[in-house]
Amino acid sequence: VQLVESGGGSVQAGGSLRLSCVGSGYTYSSYCMGWLRQAPGKEREGVATIDSDGSTSYADAVKGRFTITKANAKNTLLLQMNSLKPEDTAMYYCAIQPLGVAPIHGPGGNCYTGVDFDDWGQGTQVTVSS
């Protein structure tokens, strides 16, 4: 499995960025994909997830500002980030977790922002200045 992120950069607060993740080397009929981030000195946190049925979930900190989508034909995962804040500064990672059963989205299910992912990309840096 290979996941390659792109689209990070430096923006001012209030600005927007769109992250992309192109996946290869896998064929999963049922899966959970997500974006996670890690800031220096902080624990890694889930940002947004989407499953193979298209259900999504978001961390409270990004709800209403970030949107996760996927383009199945190209194995591409996207994260549109609007109204960026300095606290969004972090390395952002794309990840995928195959599911052996149908996806169940939300806490207690098998696809939500707290799930443990098996495969990760190398990350793309997002820096938001005030």
Side-chain angles (χ1 to χ4, degrees):
V1 175
Q2 185 175 21
L3 300 168
V4 180
E5 304 95 336
S6 63
S10 298
V11 297
Q12 291 190 327
S16 298
L17 284 173
R18 189 176 79 160
L19 306 185
S20 297
C21 170
V22 178
S24 61
Y26 62 88
T27 304
Y28 302 140
S29 59
S30 180
Y31 58 83
C32 179
M33 291 193 79
W35 288 97
L36 301 93
R37 67 186 182 186
Q38 187 166 22
K42 294 187 177 181
E43 292 187 356
R44 187 172 56 210
E45 61 175 349
V47 174
T49 56
I50 187 167
D51 65 33
S52 43
D53 289 343
S55 296
T56 60
S57 63
Y58 297 90
D60 288 343
V62 306
K63 280 181 181 177
R65 301 188 297 122
F66 290 11
T67 303
I68 186 171
T69 56
K70 58 185 174 78
N72 284 334
K74 298 182 179 179
N75 268 7
T76 300
L77 184 70
L78 304 172
L79 185 69
Q80 179 66 42
M81 305 187 295
N82 298 328
S83 302
L84 283 161
K85 304 176 181 180
E87 51 264 44
D88 294 320
T89 296
M91 184 71 79
Y92 283 71
Y93 300 90
C94 168
I96 188 167
Q97 176 68 30
L99 305 173
V101 295
I104 303 172
H105 220 98
N110 55 19
C111 188
Y112 65 105
T113 53
V115 75
D116 290 327
F117 288 94
D118 280 352
D119 295 295
W120 299 74
Q122 294 300 306
T124 185
Q125 177 68 38
V126 172
T127 302
V128 185
S129 59
S130 57

